[in-house]
Amino acid sequence: MQFQPLRFGALSVALWALLSVPVAPARAAGDAVVIGDIDDFTGVYADVQGQGGVEAIHMAIDDFGGTVLGRKIEVLFADHQNKPDIGASKFREWVDQNGLNMLIGGSNTGVSIAMAKVAAAKKVIFIPIGAGGSSLTGADCTPYSIHYGYDTTALANGTASDIVKNGGKTWYFITADYAFGSQLQDSATRVVTANGGKVLGSVRVPLGTTDFSSFLLQAQASGAQVLGLANAGTDFSNSLKAAEEFGITKTMKPAALLAFLSDIHSLTLQTAHGLYLTTGWYWDLNPETRAFAKRFFAKINKEPTETQAAYYSSTLQYLKAVKAVGSTDADKVMAELKRAKINDMYAKDASIRADGLMVHAMYVMQVKTPAESKYPWDYYQVIKVMSGEDAYGKEPDPSCPFLKK
Amino acid sequence: MTTVFGVPLPAILGQLTLGLVNGSFYALLSLGLAVIFGLLRIVNFAHGAFYMLGAFAAYIGLQAFGMNYWLALLLAPLAVALLGAVIERLFLRRLYRLDPIYGLLLTFGVALIAEGIMRNRFGASGKSYPVPHLLQGVFDLGFMVLPIYRAWVVAASLTVCAATWFLIERTRLGATLRAATQNARLVQAFGINVPLLLTATYGAGVGLAALAGVLAAPVVQVSPLMGSSLVIVVFAVVVIGGMGSIIGAILTGVLLGLIEGLTKVVYPEASNIVVFVIMALVLIWRPAGLFGRE
């Protein structure tokens, strides 16, 4: 699926043509605060944030009042097509030509790692959301990165530890073959072994594979109790669907290391019920989340995913910080963001750690059966609420380079 | 336990069976491509999109009209074939005398438009289509559990492949078709409506893709991207088999499915490139493909 030079070539030409329209070239930096969003708008992760992410940014701007420091707030967005070079070069272009002040990077750890390097070089605040790789605040951290939403450590601490403690001792992983998948598998492996479990094997599957049956047979042959799905998006739905079809879910318990509301919606409860997953947010948690979801639904006709909510929250917190320090200077705003507590509809009493990791409560959920689901999008029930420290760990990641100085 | 290259025999048998399932998908898809290329000389880049539209037609039929699977198997390919015929009449027809690159660009554009529309309407993560009641359940083969539906896919696609081959290579209609592509003017002189024949051929090729889409709908997520991930592999299959060779497309499709299945056990990371490695080797050794005429 990745072998499509022509397709991507044409797509990027079309997109560049489209996206360069609303942006006036050579704008004098300083007359607007510019927020960018570079995300997967067309590929396997497009439903996780995509257009809904852009909408969430706009909602945050509206709630903030539409301007900050008396300046207009402008939003740019572009498709990285899951290609690191496209993401990084678009980021650079916006900084150089459009006076970009803050970038939200959606999905795909590989692309986010590339964009973090640009953030460090250009000294522009970069907030990856939906990219799971915990290296974004570890080996790949920068003084300008804030990892918002969740990371592979938190996902593993949620789903994996709960399943091991409930008797799922032996694991086999089906892993997306790129940075995110391997980091997720590593994190989960650490949690499984730390809790007395054992990993019997794993198979690395190319991103965008549609037929998982072969890999599932290998998983079944291992005799493991738990089928760890270290993948996401359509990779996740297709692997779970095939596991159901081949009767593998009868002998193995599937564990979704990363599943979104949009995945469960497209799989339907018939296939997904009983699944454990970890999420940073759910639309139906409390009146505040439901109020946000209602407004979001009115615009997009879907309930928001956890990362779309994180888009909203991070934009709001950024604008608050800009207002508090009275400047868009990246160093001052970063200092304020790391100092202030976060309290909004997304997270309560959350904070941003020195390494840039946003630490907040995480929820272990179980997907409801069709009978348990009472109304549309009533999909999860809360199994456990993990405190931020339990989910992400107490101390900043020691492998983060700028903390070593 | 008996092992082959250090892999247990039951695992090999299991993977070969799955390879056969995937291979029959490849065969059905590459068959349509080969028919279109062989008879119209159009490199149909929209093939994956028509496959996707076939699956969506079945899904929409079910959601909107409660149309069951068996009816969808008949109606969805017909609807998509009709769309294909319209595209041929309006656009492709004008390109027959031009360089093949124009046909490729046009169909590529059609594919992007179709994918974009469906993504806008249904989202990227796709929809679920249920397995029909009659075909639910599994066969226990001893070395693996084979869902009845997958066995049905193999049987259905191989039957359709054989029928198509027979139609083109062994019947009078097929002979007329082949003659029309060799020398359209002469065939027309015999009173045969060649333009209509070509429209019908494109429609039929596209209908085969849509049929594969309906067959695939219960197995994979019905998503706008389901075709783009397959079409490149299918093109490789057609190139390996020999552009335009019907029998080449069918046999190579099945064969590559099997090889890919084995790769998934031996070295999974290479499973999505093995087809292209084989394509490169075949092109070096036999530039016209395994079954192509020089």
Side-chain angles (χ1 to χ4, degrees), chain A residues 320-343:
Chain A
K320 278 185 183 166
V322 169
K323 189 180 175 189
V325 298
S327 152
T328 51
D329 178 85
D331 292 295
K332 287 182 188 158
V333 177
M334 278 304 284
E336 171 64 15
L337 280 166
K338 286 182 179 173
R339 187 197 62 78
K341 285 278 180 204
I342 296 170
N343 273 300

Side-chain angles (χ1 to χ4, degrees), chain A residues 26-357:
Chain A
R27 174 186 297 278
D31 72 331
V33 173
V34 184
I35 295 175
D37 170 24
I38 300 182
D39 186 11
D40 178 359
F41 282 89
T42 51
V44 288
Y45 302 140
D47 275 2
V48 178
Q49 293 107 217
Q51 281 299 334
V54 179
E55 197 55 56
I57 294 175
H58 280 294
M59 284 171 74
I61 294 171
D62 289 348
D63 288 359
F64 190 76
T67 58
V68 64
L69 311 178
R71 290 156 65 182
K72 275 196 340 196
I73 304 166
E74 190 180 0
V75 180
L76 307 175
F77 61 93
D79 188 1
H80 60 48
Q81 302 166 37
N82 292 308
K83 297 200 173 305
D85 53 333
I86 293 181
S89 63
K90 200 75 204 171
F91 187 4
R92 222 173 276 124
E93 179 195 317
W94 283 352
V95 175
D96 293 342
Q97 296 178 16
N98 303 97
L100 183 74
N101 297 104
M102 182 272 265
L103 180 79
I104 295 180
S107 297
N108 202 315
T109 301
V111 180
S112 289
I113 291 173
M115 294 199 292
K117 295 194 165 68
V118 179
K122 298 281 184 186
K123 297 192 182 355
V124 171
I125 296 176
F126 170 56
I127 307 184
I129 297 175
S134 55
S135 74
L136 284 165
T137 52
D140 298 307
C141 81
T142 82
Y144 301 98
S145 308
I146 297 175
H147 198 182
Y148 221 91
Y150 59 78
D151 71 356
T152 50
T153 309
L155 295 172
N157 280 336
T159 312
S161 75
D162 228 61
I163 290 176
V164 182
K165 281 174 192 156
N166 286 315
K169 295 287 181 197
T170 52
W171 285 60
Y172 189 96
F173 287 105
I174 294 204
T175 305
D177 191 14
Y178 75 105
F180 157 73
S182 61
Q183 290 192 28
L184 188 51
Q185 187 191 327
D186 289 348
S187 306
T189 303
R190 270 198 295 278
V191 172
V192 169
T193 42
N195 286 291
K198 207 175 153 194
V199 175
L200 300 185
S202 69
V203 59
R204 285 161 166 263
V205 183
L207 182 68
T209 296
T210 46
D211 179 50
F212 283 80
S213 45
S214 304
F215 309 116
L216 288 164
L217 282 197
Q218 297 178 43
Q220 194 175 35
S222 74
Q225 297 164 304
V226 182
L227 177 69
L229 298 173
N231 51 18
T234 36
D235 282 356
F236 161 73
S237 358
N238 277 325
S239 45
L240 187 66
K241 215 176 161 183
E244 188 93 349
E245 192 197 353
F246 280 81
I248 285 161
T249 46
K250 290 197 184 88
T251 53
M252 296 178 87
K253 192 184 181 69
L257 291 169
L258 177 54
F260 295 98
L261 194 69
S262 50
D263 299 324
I264 305 301
H265 183 67
S266 76
L267 277 167
T268 71
L269 296 183
Q270 199 64 46
T271 310
H273 69 86
L275 200 67
Y276 282 87
L277 56 90
T278 302
T279 183
W281 186 85
Y282 175 52
W283 72 272
D284 204 6
L285 284 173
N286 57 52
E288 227 181 324
T289 58
R290 280 189 283 272
F292 172 79
K294 198 173 169 189
R295 287 169 55 208
F296 186 89
F297 194 92
K299 293 177 193 235
I300 299 281
N301 211 23
K302 290 177 194 169
E303 295 296 354
T305 61
E306 53 165 320
T307 45
Q308 284 162 342
Y311 263 53
Y312 171 89
S313 170
S314 59
T315 307
L316 198 61
Q317 297 309 325
Y318 170 78
L319 292 174
K320 278 185 183 166
V322 169
K323 189 180 175 189
V325 298
S327 152
T328 51
D329 178 85
D331 292 295
K332 287 182 188 158
V333 177
M334 278 304 284
E336 171 64 15
L337 280 166
K338 286 182 179 173
R339 187 197 62 78
K341 285 278 180 204
I342 296 170
N343 273 300
D344 57 19
M345 70 88 203
Y346 178 75
K348 292 279 174 257
D349 206 25
S351 56
I352 294 164
R353 223 161 58 178
D355 55 8
L357 183 64

